PDB file of all heavy atoms in Angstrom:
ATOM      1  N   ARG E   1       0.854  -1.182   0.000  1.00  0.00           N
ATOM      2  CA  ARG E   1       0.000   0.000   0.000  1.00  0.00           C
ATOM      3  C   ARG E   1       0.898   1.242   0.000  1.00  0.00           C
ATOM      4  O   ARG E   1       1.623   1.493   0.932  1.00  0.00           O
ATOM      5  CB  ARG E   1      -0.897  -0.009   1.223  1.00  0.00           C
ATOM      6  CG  ARG E   1      -1.917   1.104   1.199  1.00  0.00           C
ATOM      7  CD  ARG E   1      -2.824   1.024   2.368  1.00  0.00           C
ATOM      8  NE  ARG E   1      -3.773  -0.058   2.159  1.00  0.00           N
ATOM      9  CZ  ARG E   1      -4.723  -0.374   3.011  1.00  0.00           C
ATOM     10  NH1 ARG E   1      -4.852   0.276   4.134  1.00  0.00           N
ATOM     11  NH2 ARG E   1      -5.541  -1.363   2.767  1.00  0.00           N
ATOM     12  N   THR E   2       0.840   1.977  -1.066  1.00  0.00           N
ATOM     13  CA  THR E   2       1.640   3.186  -1.179  1.00  0.00           C
ATOM     14  C   THR E   2       0.886   4.368  -0.586  1.00  0.00           C
ATOM     15  O   THR E   2      -0.320   4.297  -0.330  1.00  0.00           O
ATOM     16  CB  THR E   2       1.953   3.504  -2.648  1.00  0.00           C
ATOM     17  OG1 THR E   2       0.731   3.802  -3.316  1.00  0.00           O
ATOM     18  CG2 THR E   2       2.667   2.355  -3.323  1.00  0.00           C
ATOM     19  N   LYS E   3       1.594   5.456  -0.373  1.00  0.00           N
ATOM     20  CA  LYS E   3       0.973   6.683   0.142  1.00  0.00           C
ATOM     21  C   LYS E   3      -0.102   7.178  -0.822  1.00  0.00           C
ATOM     22  O   LYS E   3      -1.177   7.590  -0.410  1.00  0.00           O
ATOM     23  CB  LYS E   3       2.061   7.748   0.347  1.00  0.00           C
ATOM     24  CG  LYS E   3       1.558   9.058   0.862  1.00  0.00           C
ATOM     25  CD  LYS E   3       1.135   8.963   2.303  1.00  0.00           C
ATOM     26  CE  LYS E   3       0.828  10.348   2.824  1.00  0.00           C
ATOM     27  NZ  LYS E   3       0.021  10.333   4.006  1.00  0.00           N
ATOM     28  N   GLU E   4       0.176   7.087  -2.116  1.00  0.00           N
ATOM     29  CA  GLU E   4      -0.781   7.525  -3.130  1.00  0.00           C
ATOM     30  C   GLU E   4      -2.055   6.681  -3.084  1.00  0.00           C
ATOM     31  O   GLU E   4      -3.170   7.201  -3.133  1.00  0.00           O
ATOM     32  CB  GLU E   4      -0.150   7.463  -4.515  1.00  0.00           C
ATOM     33  CG  GLU E   4      -1.008   8.060  -5.606  1.00  0.00           C
ATOM     34  CD  GLU E   4      -0.320   8.041  -6.963  1.00  0.00           C
ATOM     35  OE1 GLU E   4       0.748   7.412  -7.096  1.00  0.00           O
ATOM     36  OE2 GLU E   4      -0.880   8.649  -7.881  1.00  0.00           O
ATOM     37  N   ALA E   5      -1.876   5.367  -2.977  1.00  0.00           N
ATOM     38  CA  ALA E   5      -3.041   4.478  -2.896  1.00  0.00           C
ATOM     39  C   ALA E   5      -3.845   4.773  -1.640  1.00  0.00           C
ATOM     40  O   ALA E   5      -5.080   4.804  -1.674  1.00  0.00           O
ATOM     41  CB  ALA E   5      -2.590   3.022  -2.911  1.00  0.00           C
ATOM     42  N   GLN E   6      -3.159   5.006  -0.528  1.00  0.00           N
ATOM     43  CA  GLN E   6      -3.854   5.315   0.716  1.00  0.00           C
ATOM     44  C   GLN E   6      -4.645   6.623   0.594  1.00  0.00           C
ATOM     45  O   GLN E   6      -5.761   6.724   1.091  1.00  0.00           O
ATOM     46  CB  GLN E   6      -2.869   5.410   1.891  1.00  0.00           C
ATOM     47  CG  GLN E   6      -3.556   5.585   3.234  1.00  0.00           C
ATOM     48  CD  GLN E   6      -4.499   4.432   3.566  1.00  0.00           C
ATOM     49  OE1 GLN E   6      -4.134   3.274   3.451  1.00  0.00           O
ATOM     50  NE2 GLN E   6      -5.717   4.755   3.965  1.00  0.00           N
ATOM     51  N   ASN E   7      -4.075   7.600  -0.102  1.00  0.00           N
ATOM     52  CA  ASN E   7      -4.799   8.862  -0.329  1.00  0.00           C
ATOM     53  C   ASN E   7      -6.074   8.623  -1.125  1.00  0.00           C
ATOM     54  O   ASN E   7      -7.121   9.228  -0.844  1.00  0.00           O
ATOM     55  CB  ASN E   7      -3.905   9.865  -1.051  1.00  0.00           C
ATOM     56  CG  ASN E   7      -2.831  10.437  -0.159  1.00  0.00           C
ATOM     57  OD1 ASN E   7      -2.919  10.377   1.069  1.00  0.00           O
ATOM     58  ND2 ASN E   7      -1.792  10.986  -0.775  1.00  0.00           N
ATOM     59  N   HIS E   8      -6.010   7.752  -2.115  1.00  0.00           N
ATOM     60  CA  HIS E   8      -7.198   7.438  -2.921  1.00  0.00           C
ATOM     61  C   HIS E   8      -8.236   6.684  -2.089  1.00  0.00           C
ATOM     62  O   HIS E   8      -9.443   6.936  -2.209  1.00  0.00           O
ATOM     63  CB  HIS E   8      -6.825   6.639  -4.165  1.00  0.00           C
ATOM     64  CG  HIS E   8      -5.980   7.404  -5.144  1.00  0.00           C
ATOM     65  ND1 HIS E   8      -6.161   8.738  -5.411  1.00  0.00           N
ATOM     66  CD2 HIS E   8      -4.945   7.010  -5.926  1.00  0.00           C
ATOM     67  CE1 HIS E   8      -5.280   9.135  -6.302  1.00  0.00           C
ATOM     68  NE2 HIS E   8      -4.514   8.097  -6.632  1.00  0.00           N
ATOM     69  N   ILE E   9      -7.779   5.769  -1.263  1.00  0.00           N
ATOM     70  CA  ILE E   9      -8.695   5.030  -0.382  1.00  0.00           C
ATOM     71  C   ILE E   9      -9.376   5.997   0.582  1.00  0.00           C
ATOM     72  O   ILE E   9     -10.597   5.932   0.786  1.00  0.00           O
ATOM     73  CB  ILE E   9      -7.941   3.911   0.378  1.00  0.00           C
ATOM     74  CG1 ILE E   9      -7.522   2.819  -0.592  1.00  0.00           C
ATOM     75  CG2 ILE E   9      -8.804   3.338   1.497  1.00  0.00           C
ATOM     76  CD1 ILE E   9      -6.539   1.822  -0.020  1.00  0.00           C
ATOM     77  N   ASP E  10      -8.599   6.913   1.145  1.00  0.00           N
ATOM     78  CA  ASP E  10      -9.170   7.932   2.039  1.00  0.00           C
ATOM     79  C   ASP E  10     -10.177   8.807   1.297  1.00  0.00           C
ATOM     80  O   ASP E  10     -11.218   9.173   1.839  1.00  0.00           O
ATOM     81  CB  ASP E  10      -8.066   8.801   2.640  1.00  0.00           C
ATOM     82  CG  ASP E  10      -7.159   8.046   3.597  1.00  0.00           C
ATOM     83  OD1 ASP E  10      -7.548   6.937   4.051  1.00  0.00           O
ATOM     84  OD2 ASP E  10      -6.051   8.553   3.882  1.00  0.00           O
ATOM     85  N   GLY E  11      -9.852   9.123   0.034  1.00  0.00           N
ATOM     86  CA  GLY E  11     -10.764   9.927  -0.782  1.00  0.00           C
ATOM     87  C   GLY E  11     -12.085   9.221  -1.026  1.00  0.00           C
ATOM     88  O   GLY E  11     -13.160   9.833  -0.934  1.00  0.00           O
ATOM     89  N   VAL E  12     -12.015   7.927  -1.330  1.00  0.00           N
ATOM     90  CA  VAL E  12     -13.245   7.146  -1.542  1.00  0.00           C
ATOM     91  C   VAL E  12     -14.076   7.128  -0.263  1.00  0.00           C
ATOM     92  O   VAL E  12     -15.292   7.335  -0.299  1.00  0.00           O
ATOM     93  CB  VAL E  12     -12.922   5.697  -1.982  1.00  0.00           C
ATOM     94  CG1 VAL E  12     -14.159   4.818  -1.941  1.00  0.00           C
ATOM     95  CG2 VAL E  12     -12.326   5.687  -3.374  1.00  0.00           C
ATOM     96  N   TYR E  13     -13.420   6.904   0.844  1.00  0.00           N
ATOM     97  CA  TYR E  13     -14.121   6.871   2.136  1.00  0.00           C
ATOM     98  C   TYR E  13     -14.810   8.209   2.416  1.00  0.00           C
ATOM     99  O   TYR E  13     -15.993   8.250   2.767  1.00  0.00           O
ATOM    100  CB  TYR E  13     -13.128   6.535   3.254  1.00  0.00           C
ATOM    101  CG  TYR E  13     -13.741   6.511   4.628  1.00  0.00           C
ATOM    102  CD1 TYR E  13     -14.543   5.445   5.029  1.00  0.00           C
ATOM    103  CD2 TYR E  13     -13.541   7.563   5.515  1.00  0.00           C
ATOM    104  CE1 TYR E  13     -15.133   5.423   6.284  1.00  0.00           C
ATOM    105  CE2 TYR E  13     -14.128   7.554   6.773  1.00  0.00           C
ATOM    106  CZ  TYR E  13     -14.910   6.483   7.155  1.00  0.00           C
ATOM    107  OH  TYR E  13     -15.494   6.475   8.391  1.00  0.00           O
ATOM    108  N   LYS E  14     -14.078   9.302   2.225  1.00  0.00           N
ATOM    109  CA  LYS E  14     -14.629  10.639   2.473  1.00  0.00           C
ATOM    110  C   LYS E  14     -15.823  10.929   1.549  1.00  0.00           C
ATOM    111  O   LYS E  14     -16.861  11.427   1.996  1.00  0.00           O
ATOM    112  CB  LYS E  14     -13.541  11.688   2.269  1.00  0.00           C
ATOM    113  CG  LYS E  14     -13.989  13.103   2.499  1.00  0.00           C
ATOM    114  CD  LYS E  14     -12.873  14.091   2.222  1.00  0.00           C
ATOM    115  CE  LYS E  14     -13.420  15.507   2.243  1.00  0.00           C
ATOM    116  NZ  LYS E  14     -12.474  16.485   1.745  1.00  0.00           N
ATOM    117  N   LYS E  15     -15.670  10.611   0.287  1.00  0.00           N
ATOM    118  CA  LYS E  15     -16.748  10.875  -0.680  1.00  0.00           C
ATOM    119  C   LYS E  15     -17.961   9.993  -0.396  1.00  0.00           C
ATOM    120  O   LYS E  15     -19.107  10.427  -0.591  1.00  0.00           O
ATOM    121  CB  LYS E  15     -16.262  10.673  -2.118  1.00  0.00           C
ATOM    122  CG  LYS E  15     -15.206  11.664  -2.544  1.00  0.00           C
ATOM    123  CD  LYS E  15     -15.690  13.089  -2.434  1.00  0.00           C
ATOM    124  CE  LYS E  15     -14.578  14.065  -2.736  1.00  0.00           C
ATOM    125  NZ  LYS E  15     -14.969  15.450  -2.511  1.00  0.00           N
ATOM    126  N   ASN E  16     -17.748   8.765   0.058  1.00  0.00           N
ATOM    127  CA  ASN E  16     -18.877   7.911   0.435  1.00  0.00           C
ATOM    128  C   ASN E  16     -19.641   8.498   1.607  1.00  0.00           C
ATOM    129  O   ASN E  16     -20.882   8.441   1.641  1.00  0.00           O
ATOM    130  CB  ASN E  16     -18.404   6.494   0.759  1.00  0.00           C
ATOM    131  CG  ASN E  16     -18.306   5.625  -0.471  1.00  0.00           C
ATOM    132  OD1 ASN E  16     -19.101   5.738  -1.387  1.00  0.00           O
ATOM    133  ND2 ASN E  16     -17.319   4.752  -0.495  1.00  0.00           N
ATOM    134  N   LEU E  17     -18.931   9.064   2.583  1.00  0.00           N
ATOM    135  CA  LEU E  17     -19.608   9.720   3.710  1.00  0.00           C
ATOM    136  C   LEU E  17     -20.413  10.925   3.232  1.00  0.00           C
ATOM    137  O   LEU E  17     -21.565  11.118   3.645  1.00  0.00           O
ATOM    138  CB  LEU E  17     -18.583  10.162   4.764  1.00  0.00           C
ATOM    139  CG  LEU E  17     -17.913   9.060   5.576  1.00  0.00           C
ATOM    140  CD1 LEU E  17     -16.866   9.656   6.513  1.00  0.00           C
ATOM    141  CD2 LEU E  17     -18.948   8.266   6.360  1.00  0.00           C
ATOM    142  N   GLU E  18     -19.808  11.720   2.360  1.00  0.00           N
ATOM    143  CA  GLU E  18     -20.515  12.877   1.797  1.00  0.00           C
ATOM    144  C   GLU E  18     -21.759  12.430   1.034  1.00  0.00           C
ATOM    145  O   GLU E  18     -22.815  13.065   1.120  1.00  0.00           O
ATOM    146  CB  GLU E  18     -19.604  13.666   0.862  1.00  0.00           C
ATOM    147  CG  GLU E  18     -18.548  14.481   1.545  1.00  0.00           C
ATOM    148  CD  GLU E  18     -17.696  15.258   0.545  1.00  0.00           C
ATOM    149  OE1 GLU E  18     -18.268  15.916  -0.356  1.00  0.00           O
ATOM    150  OE2 GLU E  18     -16.460  15.192   0.658  1.00  0.00           O
ATOM    151  N   LEU E  19     -21.626  11.340   0.280  1.00  0.00           N
ATOM    152  CA  LEU E  19     -22.750  10.820  -0.498  1.00  0.00           C
ATOM    153  C   LEU E  19     -23.894  10.383   0.417  1.00  0.00           C
ATOM    154  O   LEU E  19     -25.062  10.677   0.137  1.00  0.00           O
ATOM    155  CB  LEU E  19     -22.285   9.659  -1.378  1.00  0.00           C
ATOM    156  CG  LEU E  19     -23.322   9.033  -2.301  1.00  0.00           C
ATOM    157  CD1 LEU E  19     -23.880  10.070  -3.273  1.00  0.00           C
ATOM    158  CD2 LEU E  19     -22.689   7.871  -3.070  1.00  0.00           C
ATOM    159  N   MET E  20     -23.568   9.713   1.506  1.00  0.00           N
ATOM    160  CA  MET E  20     -24.610   9.300   2.453  1.00  0.00           C
ATOM    161  C   MET E  20     -25.331  10.522   3.035  1.00  0.00           C
ATOM    162  O   MET E  20     -26.559  10.532   3.147  1.00  0.00           O
ATOM    163  CB  MET E  20     -24.014   8.449   3.576  1.00  0.00           C
ATOM    164  CG  MET E  20     -23.639   7.049   3.139  1.00  0.00           C
ATOM    165  SD  MET E  20     -23.148   5.943   4.485  1.00  0.00           S
ATOM    166  CE  MET E  20     -21.827   6.836   5.277  1.00  0.00           C
ATOM    167  N   MET E  21     -24.574  11.554   3.367  1.00  0.00           N
ATOM    168  CA  MET E  21     -25.178  12.765   3.924  1.00  0.00           C
ATOM    169  C   MET E  21     -26.056  13.464   2.880  1.00  0.00           C
ATOM    170  O   MET E  21     -27.148  13.944   3.193  1.00  0.00           O
ATOM    171  CB  MET E  21     -24.101  13.720   4.446  1.00  0.00           C
ATOM    172  CG  MET E  21     -23.410  13.191   5.682  1.00  0.00           C
ATOM    173  SD  MET E  21     -22.132  14.218   6.467  1.00  0.00           S
ATOM    174  CE  MET E  21     -21.689  15.431   5.300  1.00  0.00           C
ATOM    175  N   LYS E  22     -25.587  13.509   1.640  1.00  0.00           N
ATOM    176  CA  LYS E  22     -26.372  14.137   0.580  1.00  0.00           C
ATOM    177  C   LYS E  22     -27.646  13.352   0.294  1.00  0.00           C
ATOM    178  O   LYS E  22     -28.684  13.939  -0.017  1.00  0.00           O
ATOM    179  CB  LYS E  22     -25.543  14.268  -0.708  1.00  0.00           C
ATOM    180  CG  LYS E  22     -24.653  15.467  -0.724  1.00  0.00           C
ATOM    181  CD  LYS E  22     -25.464  16.744  -0.725  1.00  0.00           C
ATOM    182  CE  LYS E  22     -24.585  17.947  -0.589  1.00  0.00           C
ATOM    183  NZ  LYS E  22     -25.334  19.176  -0.382  1.00  0.00           N
ATOM    184  N   ASN E  23     -27.593  12.028   0.381  1.00  0.00           N
ATOM    185  CA  ASN E  23     -28.798  11.227   0.182  1.00  0.00           C
ATOM    186  C   ASN E  23     -29.824  11.516   1.267  1.00  0.00           C
ATOM    187  O   ASN E  23     -31.030  11.589   0.989  1.00  0.00           O
ATOM    188  CB  ASN E  23     -28.455   9.732   0.136  1.00  0.00           C
ATOM    189  CG  ASN E  23     -27.893   9.322  -1.202  1.00  0.00           C
ATOM    190  OD1 ASN E  23     -28.232   9.874  -2.235  1.00  0.00           O
ATOM    191  ND2 ASN E  23     -27.001   8.344  -1.187  1.00  0.00           N
ATOM    192  N   ASP E  24     -29.362  11.686   2.510  1.00  0.00           N
ATOM    193  CA  ASP E  24     -30.272  12.068   3.589  1.00  0.00           C
ATOM    194  C   ASP E  24     -30.852  13.457   3.331  1.00  0.00           C
ATOM    195  O   ASP E  24     -32.043  13.706   3.524  1.00  0.00           O
ATOM    196  CB  ASP E  24     -29.553  12.053   4.945  1.00  0.00           C
ATOM    197  CG  ASP E  24     -29.186  10.644   5.396  1.00  0.00           C
ATOM    198  OD1 ASP E  24     -29.771   9.675   4.878  1.00  0.00           O
ATOM    199  OD2 ASP E  24     -28.298  10.523   6.279  1.00  0.00           O
ATOM    200  N   GLU E  25     -29.994  14.367   2.873  1.00  0.00           N
ATOM    201  CA  GLU E  25     -30.442  15.726   2.567  1.00  0.00           C
ATOM    202  C   GLU E  25     -31.452  15.716   1.425  1.00  0.00           C
ATOM    203  O   GLU E  25     -32.432  16.466   1.443  1.00  0.00           O
ATOM    204  CB  GLU E  25     -29.237  16.589   2.202  1.00  0.00           C
ATOM    205  CG  GLU E  25     -29.569  18.036   1.953  1.00  0.00           C
ATOM    206  CD  GLU E  25     -28.350  18.864   1.567  1.00  0.00           C
ATOM    207  OE1 GLU E  25     -27.204  18.440   1.807  1.00  0.00           O
ATOM    208  OE2 GLU E  25     -28.565  19.957   1.010  1.00  0.00           O
ATOM    209  N   LEU E  26     -31.222  14.850   0.438  1.00  0.00           N
ATOM    210  CA  LEU E  26     -32.137  14.745  -0.701  1.00  0.00           C
ATOM    211  C   LEU E  26     -33.542  14.365  -0.238  1.00  0.00           C
ATOM    212  O   LEU E  26     -34.536  14.917  -0.712  1.00  0.00           O
ATOM    213  CB  LEU E  26     -31.614  13.725  -1.710  1.00  0.00           C
ATOM    214  CG  LEU E  26     -32.467  13.497  -2.945  1.00  0.00           C
ATOM    215  CD1 LEU E  26     -32.522  14.757  -3.806  1.00  0.00           C
ATOM    216  CD2 LEU E  26     -31.920  12.333  -3.760  1.00  0.00           C
ATOM    217  N   GLU E  27     -33.616  13.440   0.691  1.00  0.00           N
ATOM    218  CA  GLU E  27     -34.920  13.030   1.219  1.00  0.00           C
ATOM    219  C   GLU E  27     -35.628  14.212   1.879  1.00  0.00           C
ATOM    220  O   GLU E  27     -36.809  14.458   1.637  1.00  0.00           O
ATOM    221  CB  GLU E  27     -34.730  11.898   2.227  1.00  0.00           C
ATOM    222  CG  GLU E  27     -36.027  11.357   2.785  1.00  0.00           C
ATOM    223  CD  GLU E  27     -35.811  10.213   3.762  1.00  0.00           C
ATOM    224  OE1 GLU E  27     -34.716   9.635   3.810  1.00  0.00           O
ATOM    225  OE2 GLU E  27     -36.779   9.902   4.471  1.00  0.00           O
ATOM    226  N   GLU E  28     -34.892  14.956   2.688  1.00  0.00           N
ATOM    227  CA  GLU E  28     -35.465  16.118   3.374  1.00  0.00           C
ATOM    228  C   GLU E  28     -35.888  17.194   2.372  1.00  0.00           C
ATOM    229  O   GLU E  28     -36.983  17.767   2.477  1.00  0.00           O
ATOM    230  CB  GLU E  28     -34.429  16.687   4.339  1.00  0.00           C
ATOM    231  CG  GLU E  28     -34.911  17.865   5.141  1.00  0.00           C
ATOM    232  CD  GLU E  28     -33.838  18.417   6.060  1.00  0.00           C
ATOM    233  OE1 GLU E  28     -33.048  17.622   6.603  1.00  0.00           O
ATOM    234  OE2 GLU E  28     -33.792  19.654   6.222  1.00  0.00           O
ATOM    235  N   LEU E  29     -35.047  17.462   1.390  1.00  0.00           N
ATOM    236  CA  LEU E  29     -35.375  18.477   0.389  1.00  0.00           C
ATOM    237  C   LEU E  29     -36.560  18.059  -0.474  1.00  0.00           C
ATOM    238  O   LEU E  29     -37.361  18.906  -0.885  1.00  0.00           O
ATOM    239  CB  LEU E  29     -34.148  18.756  -0.488  1.00  0.00           C
ATOM    240  CG  LEU E  29     -32.980  19.452   0.206  1.00  0.00           C
ATOM    241  CD1 LEU E  29     -31.770  19.514  -0.723  1.00  0.00           C
ATOM    242  CD2 LEU E  29     -33.370  20.834   0.694  1.00  0.00           C
ATOM    243  N   SER E  30     -36.677  16.777  -0.750  1.00  0.00           N
ATOM    244  CA  SER E  30     -37.825  16.278  -1.522  1.00  0.00           C
ATOM    245  C   SER E  30     -39.127  16.524  -0.773  1.00  0.00           C
ATOM    246  O   SER E  30     -40.133  16.930  -1.370  1.00  0.00           O
ATOM    247  CB  SER E  30     -37.667  14.782  -1.811  1.00  0.00           C
ATOM    248  OG  SER E  30     -36.566  14.549  -2.631  1.00  0.00           O
ATOM    249  N   MET E  31     -39.082  16.294   0.532  1.00  0.00           N
ATOM    250  CA  MET E  31     -40.278  16.532   1.339  1.00  0.00           C
ATOM    251  C   MET E  31     -40.616  18.024   1.385  1.00  0.00           C
ATOM    252  O   MET E  31     -41.789  18.409   1.291  1.00  0.00           O
ATOM    253  CB  MET E  31     -40.080  15.960   2.743  1.00  0.00           C
ATOM    254  CG  MET E  31     -40.059  14.435   2.738  1.00  0.00           C
ATOM    255  SD  MET E  31     -39.587  13.645   4.289  1.00  0.00           S
ATOM    256  CE  MET E  31     -40.597  14.430   5.486  1.00  0.00           C
ATOM    257  N   LYS E  32     -39.608  18.879   1.498  1.00  0.00           N
ATOM    258  CA  LYS E  32     -39.838  20.323   1.510  1.00  0.00           C
ATOM    259  C   LYS E  32     -40.414  20.806   0.184  1.00  0.00           C
ATOM    260  O   LYS E  32     -41.314  21.641   0.157  1.00  0.00           O
ATOM    261  CB  LYS E  32     -38.548  21.069   1.830  1.00  0.00           C
ATOM    262  CG  LYS E  32     -38.137  20.993   3.271  1.00  0.00           C
ATOM    263  CD  LYS E  32     -36.868  21.790   3.517  1.00  0.00           C
ATOM    264  CE  LYS E  32     -36.460  21.720   4.973  1.00  0.00           C
ATOM    265  NZ  LYS E  32     -35.217  22.485   5.223  1.00  0.00           N
ATOM    266  N   ALA E  33     -39.885  20.277  -0.920  1.00  0.00           N
ATOM    267  CA  ALA E  33     -40.392  20.669  -2.238  1.00  0.00           C
ATOM    268  C   ALA E  33     -41.839  20.211  -2.423  1.00  0.00           C
ATOM    269  O   ALA E  33     -42.674  20.949  -2.955  1.00  0.00           O
ATOM    270  CB  ALA E  33     -39.501  20.101  -3.341  1.00  0.00           C
ATOM    271  N   ALA E  34     -42.133  19.009  -1.976  1.00  0.00           N
ATOM    272  CA  ALA E  34     -43.507  18.499  -2.077  1.00  0.00           C
ATOM    273  C   ALA E  34     -44.460  19.345  -1.228  1.00  0.00           C
ATOM    274  O   ALA E  34     -45.580  19.650  -1.657  1.00  0.00           O
ATOM    275  CB  ALA E  34     -43.562  17.038  -1.650  1.00  0.00           C
ATOM    276  N   GLN E  35     -44.017  19.744  -0.048  1.00  0.00           N
ATOM    277  CA  GLN E  35     -44.840  20.579   0.828  1.00  0.00           C
ATOM    278  C   GLN E  35     -45.072  21.953   0.193  1.00  0.00           C
ATOM    279  O   GLN E  35     -46.184  22.474   0.218  1.00  0.00           O
ATOM    280  CB  GLN E  35     -44.176  20.739   2.207  1.00  0.00           C
ATOM    281  CG  GLN E  35     -44.967  21.573   3.180  1.00  0.00           C
ATOM    282  CD  GLN E  35     -46.303  20.947   3.558  1.00  0.00           C
ATOM    283  OE1 GLN E  35     -46.421  19.736   3.645  1.00  0.00           O
ATOM    284  NE2 GLN E  35     -47.298  21.778   3.773  1.00  0.00           N
ATOM    285  N   ALA E  36     -44.016  22.532  -0.389  1.00  0.00           N
ATOM    286  CA  ALA E  36     -44.148  23.836  -1.048  1.00  0.00           C
ATOM    287  C   ALA E  36     -45.117  23.749  -2.221  1.00  0.00           C
ATOM    288  O   ALA E  36     -45.944  24.645  -2.424  1.00  0.00           O
ATOM    289  CB  ALA E  36     -42.778  24.325  -1.509  1.00  0.00           C
TER     290      ALA E  36
END
């Protein structure tokens, strides 16, 4: 495992966390749009 590979693995992990948060946000925003 090189430093570069570890950086990419960390990047995937970080982006997956962001994606999970955005999916939760999408659900909330969908409900707000439907209510509006």
